Amino acid sequence: MADGLLGIAASGLLAAQRALATTGNNISNANTDGYNRQRVETSERDSTYTAGGYLGNGVNIDTVARLYDNFLNTQVRTSQSASGGATAYNQLTSQINSFIGDRSASLSAPLQSFFNAAQDVANDPSAIAARQVLLTQGDSVAQRFNVLDTQFNTLRAQVQQTLSSDVDQINTWAATIAQLNTQIVSQSASGTGQPPNDLLDQRNLLLEKLSGKVDTSVMTEADGAIDVFIGNGQSLVMGAAYNRLQTQPSAYDARADDIALSSGGDQGAIVITQALTGGEMGGLLKFSHDVLDPAQNSLGRIAAGFALAVNAQHRQGSDLKGNAGQDFFTDPTTPTDAWFAKQTNGGDARLSVAFDNTPATATTPANTPAQLTASDYRLDYDSGGNAVLTRLSDNTKFTDNPAGSGAFQVDGLKIGIASGTAKAGDSFLIQPFRTPAGTIQAALDDPNQVAAAGSPSTGPGDNVNARALVNLQQTKGMLEGKASFQGAYNQLIGEVGVKANAANLDNTAQKNLLDQVTQSRESVSGVNLDEEAANLVKFQQAYQASAQLIPALNNTFDALMAAVRS
Amino acid sequence: MRISSGWIQQLGVNSMLNQQSLVSQTQMQLSTGLRVLTPADDPGGAVGAQIMTESLKTTQQYQTNLTTAQGRLQLEDSALDSVDTLLQRIKEVAVRGLNDTLTASDRQALGDQTQQYLDEITGLTNTKNANGEYIFGGYRTDTPPYVFDDQRTPPSYVYQGGQQQRSLRIGDLRNIEDGDTGFRVFEDVPSTAGKLGIANVDGKQSLLNTVYTLAQALKGDLTGTHGTLTGTANLAGGKDYSAGPASFNLAVDGGTAETITIPAQNYPSAQALADAINTQISAGPLRDKVAAQVSNGAIQFASAQIGPNASVTVSQGTPGFLADAGLADPSTGTGSTTEFHATASAALADIDTGLERVLDVRASIGARLNALDEQDSLQSKFIIDTQANLSKVQDLDYAEAISRFSQQQTVLQASMTAFSQVQKLSLFNYL
């Protein structure tokens, strides 16, 4: 019986001590990332049957449990993905937004100055100074196109770099998660069935970080290991095994990267670029596809349309020396790097891609720069060897004309086979608008070469062609004849502005959502120091009370001994 | 609800960061004075502002063009005002010269005076604008419109300018001519008296040469009429030679006959035919010695030479043309000496039509200046209205922004205070 009381006291002391230690652990990890607060869970010891009833035997320490809600953590991960994607998308979109609409850095001001300079030449066609100003303004327009294009390319490089560093990061995390899986399984099994709280916390933290990079789904196995899936359910971690993500040259353009998942086996890497959603990578890919490509193509389209129109008009005039006008800007008719053959092509066909300017005839409709679309295209040779051109913006398909020639005259473009032959199954990616803004350059350097005159012999006061150049400012030569060059640029500003605005709102909303679910999770798993202080007091008191049992037992025993001695 | 200590701190930090970003946004607006900082702030407004800025700058350019046109027209008007005065004086001189009581030396003096006036007029026709362009030269702004060529027979004033006038753009779809060619003012002037100077387009005179003829007549250097030969057939409806070329032989002042071939083509008018013949003449040795022109619908050949020795002779080439023109084969027309009275009276009559032309042109300048004024006030109003609209779209409402700024500052301060107060609370302080 005396043994019993001492045992009860000892169990109480031990329980209070463990509770104090756990409280201390909570306090010291209050600011540790991924830490879930812990609690000592106790239960009543089995009681002893006596004639007088069941007699209590003290307290048992069952386990140190971590307060963890799987549902809330899944919500946090989902939200982390959405927020990570929205942040990356917003950050990059707002960069385009700020340089494309900037008062001093946008294209609007130099375009306006160019046309005003053309008006000054019309006012004073024989003045060399006015002609020089027009040349300089033409140069400014070209350079502004170049600068904007460089900024687009810088963003493109930034996206590629971030993607590839994300890939490295994800690979490291995937490896660590697989390793943690192994440890968790072995510790859960080898121990007394107690959960390895620290390892679980670490793994959970990594999952959360992973979700910030890419959308993930998680499945827990019976032995405590987890499987992690990304993209369309491609598995990244399977228990102790993991696959590696990698960047590799895309199927068409070797300079662009695709994301692929490699299991290290024989079947090679599977490209999953299109399947990746959510997280920073999803945001980057969405930005690239939804904002960057269309914006750069739009700019390229304006550059090509503008240079084609100015050149065509300038060639119709005569310069101060009575010579026929030359190209004002470098001829953009044949854009560089406008097509890419798929790496798996069997044929040796090389394409020719050029901007067209064919007026309507009785039998065929016009094919002019006004019809340029800013879309990319894909030329496929089907199994029968027939050429099919697809406009990628809306997947409209065109067949070649005449059939079998592989030649197309659509959307202001002239596409054909320059040399070689294509085989069935060959495919080409056509990007006519990616480079014109970067390659446009002013071609004239002598003010005498400005073709202000309408004919070669009328004299230096002739301003007919200068006025015709001025008219181009208002000519609706873009967007199916619905917009001028400045109008087309304004449309680009509007489109990017709307996207940036939406991106900003979405980013704020996703952040708020993440805050809310994080708060819910924190309410379960987070450490509250005041609560811990109160617990400290509670467990100290419990410890003191249990300790008091020992002198009580001692006194009882002394009393008994004294009675026996006397 | 339980709140973790870390989260309490995070909430405070988040709220401070949010407020700070709002304050910085407003601060940026205040320092730039712009409501819309990037297109994302207000995509519609940003594009609207862009469009307004463009039309504002374009209209301001129109205003510059308009001022240029105004200056040029005013300069032309003042030159023509002087021409008008000089022509009036020449008329007075001519009327005086017609008085039969004058001696030859009196007339000589009046002739010298007329020549003086003519020199002044020539100077005025060669007026340059501020940019050094000859204002009466049409597109040929680099060449003096009038030079006196004493190598010609007879010596005469030659118009070297262009026949097209430059237009400036003064508004959307609105162009205005910034002057008049010397051709329109002095060359393409109807003649009531017939040709006095070198052979010109039928029924038109060259005003400077008319005055020159008057001066010569007054000085006693009378020359005579051109040798002319006029067909009898009315070719006003033109002639169709598309079946094959027609040709004839042409000789001037008894010189060698040259074959003139009219290219196979349908000529819709007598003038077209005359032009084709003149093109052929210009290509050969008869250049500047003879010209084809239209007189009352008939083809007329006129020699450059005047006086009794001047003659024009045509003879048959490919049969057809002479018959078509109503000329015998061969036939000759000769000139004759003119008489002072007839010459001076004719010159006077032509100077009158010249004066009328100058007045017409000045009236047209006045009309253009009025149009410019109207366009100016229209566009000035447009500029003011657009600036006001632009300001509404893109400019900051300072009163609103400043009150928003101070409100945001207050909130930021409050969140900082709240943060520091909450951080002080801890149960550990009481243990």
Side-chain angles (χ1 to χ4, degrees):
Chain A
M1 181 182 141
D3 207 342
L5 185 57
L6 199 57
I8 289 171
S11 78
L13 278 174
L14 201 60
Q17 209 174 36
R18 289 283 157 82
L20 279 171
T22 304
T23 304
N25 195 43
N26 282 344
I27 291 171
S28 53
N29 281 305
N31 292 324
T32 304
D33 271 350
Y35 181 74
N36 293 295
R37 77 186 160 107
Q38 298 176 1
R39 190 170 64 190
V40 174
E41 289 189 350
T42 53
S43 60
E44 222 178 320
R45 265 191 194 164
D46 291 345
S47 15
T48 312
Y49 177 74
T50 64
Y54 285 95
L55 215 55
N57 272 331
V59 63
N60 253 343
I61 300 166
D62 293 339
T63 186
V64 179
R66 67 182 182 134
L67 285 117
Y68 175 85
D69 185 317
N70 196 35
F71 173 71
L72 288 176
N73 274 287
T74 307
Q75 269 198 331
V76 168
R77 277 202 302 276
T78 311
S79 212
Q80 197 81 260
S81 274
S83 172
T87 305
Y89 180 77
N90 177 45
Q91 193 250 334
L92 289 163
T93 307
S94 74
Q95 281 190 45
I96 292 195
N97 172 50
S98 47
F99 71 68
I100 210 153
D102 187 272
R103 232 156 281 263
S104 51
S106 86
L107 186 64
S108 311
L111 270 182
Q112 182 68 39
S113 304
F114 174 80
F115 286 116
N116 281 3
Q119 299 227 23
D120 284 334
V121 170
N123 289 349
D124 266 324
S126 57
I128 294 294
R131 289 163 168 265
Q132 183 62 56
V133 170
L134 181 63
L135 289 190
T136 311
Q137 293 299 357
D139 201 35
S140 301
V141 170
Q143 284 187 7
R144 189 55 56 87
F145 271 119
N146 300 159
V147 167
L148 288 171
D149 193 62
T150 307
Q151 275 165 318
F152 283 130
N153 286 336
T154 309
L155 285 176
R156 197 175 290 284
Q158 195 183 329
V159 166
Q160 295 283 3
Q161 273 171 14
T162 317
L163 281 176
S164 98
S165 79
D166 282 353
V167 163
D168 293 344
Q169 188 74 71
I170 288 173
N171 283 336
T172 315
W173 289 337
T176 315
I177 289 173
Q179 202 183 349
L180 282 169
N181 270 343
T182 318
Q183 291 176 0
I184 286 166
V185 170
S186 83
Q187 291 202 7
S188 305
S190 71
T192 52
Q194 295 293 356
N197 288 335
D198 54 338
L199 299 180
L200 291 172
D201 282 353
Q202 278 177 38
R203 190 176 68 181
N204 195 49
L205 180 65
L206 284 179
L207 279 178
E208 224 165 83
K209 286 183 175 170
L210 191 62
S211 303
K213 296 289 183 198
V214 65
D215 204 11
T216 54
S217 52
V218 175
M219 250 179 58
T220 311
E221 289 175 22
D223 59 2
I226 54 166
D227 301 335
V228 182
F229 305 93
I230 59 172
N232 284 345
Q234 282 82 13
S235 90
L236 182 67
V237 180
M238 292 285 272
Y242 63 94
N243 293 329
R244 293 191 66 81
L245 274 185
Q246 63 186 48
T247 54
Q248 62 181 43
S250 78
Y252 292 94
D253 179 2
R255 296 167 308 176
D257 284 344
D258 264 338
I259 313 290
L261 192 65
S262 155
S263 56
D266 299 331
Q267 64 258 61
I270 314 157
V271 173
I272 54 166
T273 317
Q274 306 297 328
L276 288 179
T277 53
E280 186 174 82
M281 294 185 90
L284 290 169
L285 292 168
K286 181 174 173 226
F287 164 76
S288 194
H289 187 260
D290 288 1
V291 185
L292 183 57
D293 290 354
Q296 192 170 21
N297 278 357
S298 281
L299 188 76
R301 169 172 61 168
I302 298 170
F306 176 72
L308 287 167
V310 170
N311 282 353
Q313 188 60 57
H314 197 255
R315 278 199 299 265
Q316 286 184 21
S318 299
D319 70 11
L320 206 47
K321 293 180 172 161
N323 299 321
Q326 305 164 26
D327 279 346
F328 196 97
F329 295 104
T330 47
D331 184 15
T333 307
T334 320
T336 53
D337 291 337
W339 62 274
F340 301 95
K342 197 171 187 178
Q343 282 159 14
T344 54
N345 277 3
D348 60 351
R350 298 183 57 79
L351 296 194
S352 69
V353 175
F355 297 116
D356 196 10
N357 196 1
T358 308
T361 65
T363 48
T364 54
N367 198 38
T368 64
Q371 284 149 281
L372 297 174
T373 59
S375 171
D376 292 343
Y377 295 79
R378 199 182 60 235
L379 178 60
D380 295 307
Y381 279 84
D382 63 17
S383 50
N386 301 312
V388 177
L389 184 72
T390 310
R391 179 164 68 211
L392 297 179
S393 61
D394 57 2
N395 283 325
T396 304
K397 296 200 187 311
F398 304 95
T399 47
D400 50 355
N401 183 25
S405 64
F408 298 86
Q409 256 179 302
V410 289
D411 293 348
L413 293 169
K414 207 181 211 167
I415 296 166
I417 304 290
S419 67
T421 41
K423 290 194 173 147
D426 281 3
S427 178
F428 302 86
L429 179 67
I430 299 168
Q431 296 181 326
F433 306 105
R434 208 47 77 74
T435 53
T439 52
I440 183 174
Q441 271 183 334
L444 302 181
D445 48 12
D446 178 0
N448 285 309
Q449 291 173 309
V450 171
S455 86
S457 54
T458 42
D462 186 353
N463 69 354
V464 169
N465 203 49
R467 279 190 292 136
L469 279 174
V470 169
N471 285 344
L472 291 178
Q473 182 175 19
Q474 273 149 5
T475 305
K476 303 218 181 276
M478 298 254 87
L479 312 184
E480 305 271 327
K482 292 193 190 83
S484 64
F485 304 112
Q486 282 160 298
Y489 187 72
N490 286 341
Q491 200 220 20
L492 174 61
I493 293 181
E495 272 177 14
V496 171
V498 167
K499 281 176 185 163
N501 185 293
N504 194 9
L505 291 177
D506 186 44
N507 186 32
T508 313
Q510 293 300 347
K511 257 204 183 100
N512 287 342
L513 214 58
L514 177 62
D515 279 355
Q516 281 168 21
V517 294
T518 310
Q519 184 166 2
S520 302
R521 195 210 27 205
E522 285 290 294
S523 76
V524 174
S525 307
V527 177
N528 182 310
L529 290 173
D530 292 336
E531 186 185 30
E532 300 302 329
N535 283 343
L536 209 56
V537 174
K538 180 169 86 177
F539 295 133
Q540 264 177 349
Q541 284 174 351
Y543 185 88
Q544 281 165 357
S546 294
Q548 283 302 319
L549 285 176
I550 293 169
L553 179 65
N554 202 21
N555 290 344
T556 321
F557 186 70
D558 281 352
L560 185 61
M561 290 305 282
V564 172
R565 233 180 255 142
S566 56
Chain B
M1 180 158 108
R2 257 190 102 251
I3 294 186
S4 76
S5 299
W7 192 248
I8 291 175
Q9 202 243 2
Q10 193 59 48
L11 281 181
V13 172
N14 282 353
S15 109
M16 281 188 291
L17 288 178
N18 284 342
Q19 287 308 320
Q20 266 167 1
S21 96
L22 289 177
V23 167
S24 111
Q25 168 87 3
T26 311
Q27 192 187 3
M28 198 100 114
Q29 288 183 326
L30 284 170
S31 59
T32 56
L34 296 171
R35 180 180 70 87
V36 183
L37 294 171
T38 71
D41 297 341
D42 175 2
V47 171
Q50 202 63 257
I51 291 170
M52 278 191 263
T53 310
E54 281 159 13
S55 81
L56 198 59
K57 284 189 177 158
T58 305
T59 311
Q60 280 164 343
Q61 177 69 40
Y62 291 152
Q63 293 290 81
T64 310
N65 304 356
L66 191 149
T67 315
T68 308
Q70 257 173 349
R72 288 182 186 165
L73 287 171
Q74 280 159 358
L75 179 66
E76 188 196 357
D77 191 49
S78 80
L80 289 183
D81 186 41
S82 307
V83 170
D84 186 85
T85 312
L86 287 164
L87 285 175
Q88 298 286 358
R89 294 213 186 121
I90 289 167
K91 256 182 77 180
E92 288 162 18
V93 169
V95 171
R96 241 191 298 155
L98 279 170
N99 191 335
D100 282 338
T101 61
L102 291 183
T103 64
S105 67
D106 290 340
R107 282 192 179 137
Q108 176 79 37
L110 290 176
D112 288 342
Q113 207 181 336
T114 306
Q115 185 61 45
Q116 289 288 330
Y117 291 147
L118 179 58
D119 289 348
E120 278 186 57
I121 291 178
T122 312
L124 286 166
T125 61
N126 291 336
T127 305
K128 289 182 183 178
N129 68 15
N131 297 315
E133 297 178 311
Y134 290 101
I135 64 172
F136 289 110
Y139 286 163
R140 293 191 198 280
T141 52
D142 57 342
T143 318
Y146 277 101
V147 288
F148 183 69
D149 186 354
D150 57 5
Q151 298 302 308
R152 293 199 175 217
T153 334
S156 55
Y157 287 86
V158 183
Y159 177 66
Q160 314 188 106
Q163 306 206 353
Q164 287 154 295
Q165 183 54 44
R166 182 163 66 205
S167 287
L168 299 190
R169 164 164 286 209
I170 55 158
D172 281 340
L173 307 173
R174 184 145 193 204
N175 295 310
I176 207 156
E177 293 187 339
D178 68 346
D180 296 276
T181 61
F183 181 77
R184 168 166 153 72
V185 187
F186 305 111
E187 236 17 52
D188 192 31
V189 184
S191 165
T192 53
K195 289 154 297 294
L196 291 161
I198 192 163
N200 208 324
V201 179
D202 183 53
K204 304 286 179 175
Q205 59 164 315
S206 165
L207 188 57
L208 267 65
N209 285 318
T210 302
V211 176
Y212 179 64
T213 310
L214 174 66
Q216 292 298 96
L218 284 166
K219 286 199 246 178
D221 297 339
L222 276 178
T223 42
T225 59
H226 304 274
T228 52
L229 184 61
T230 311
T232 55
N234 189 334
L235 293 176
K239 199 76 202 167
D240 187 357
Y241 284 130
S242 49
S247 72
F248 62 97
N249 301 320
L250 182 63
V252 184
D253 304 341
T256 318
E258 295 289 329
T259 301
I260 303 296
T261 304
I262 306 167
Q265 190 178 320
N266 183 14
Y267 297 92
S269 68
Q271 188 58 51
L273 206 46
D275 289 344
I277 295 171
N278 281 330
T279 308
Q280 298 300 317
I281 292 173
S282 305
L286 293 180
R287 180 189 169 90
D288 289 337
K289 288 186 180 161
V290 64
Q293 55 200 28
V294 179
S295 171
N296 295 324
I299 292 286
Q300 181 182 57
F301 295 95
S303 72
Q305 183 77 278
I306 51 178
N309 295 328
S311 71
V312 179
T313 307
V314 294
S315 56
Q316 194 71 284
T318 313
F321 173 73
L322 289 190
D324 291 341
L327 288 162
D329 170 31
S331 59
T332 303
T334 49
S336 64
T337 315
T338 46
E339 180 260 336
F340 167 72
H341 270 275
T343 307
S345 311
L348 257 179
D350 274 0
I351 289 172
D352 271 336
T353 56
L355 266 169
E356 271 172 41
R357 169 55 57 92
V358 170
L359 280 178
D360 284 352
V361 172
R362 290 188 66 195
S364 133
I365 294 173
R368 274 176 276 172
L369 284 169
N370 277 343
L372 287 174
D373 279 345
E374 278 168 29
Q375 189 74 12
D376 183 15
S377 54
L378 206 71
Q379 284 175 175
S380 300
K381 181 164 184 337
F382 175 80
I383 288 176
I384 291 168
D385 290 349
T386 309
Q387 275 167 340
N389 285 334
L390 184 59
S391 169
K392 266 183 222 158
V393 172
Q394 68 173 12
D395 287 353
L396 188 63
D397 176 354
Y398 266 99
E400 180 272 335
I402 287 170
S403 75
R404 175 154 47 91
F405 189 57
S406 69
Q407 189 195 352
Q408 285 166 345
Q409 275 179 315
T410 314
V411 176
L412 177 58
Q413 229 157 27
S415 62
M416 284 172 166
T417 314
F419 180 76
S420 72
Q421 295 293 336
V422 169
Q423 290 304 309
K424 276 184 210 153
L425 291 176
S426 173
L427 187 52
F428 284 103
N429 295 337
Y430 303 99
L431 293 183

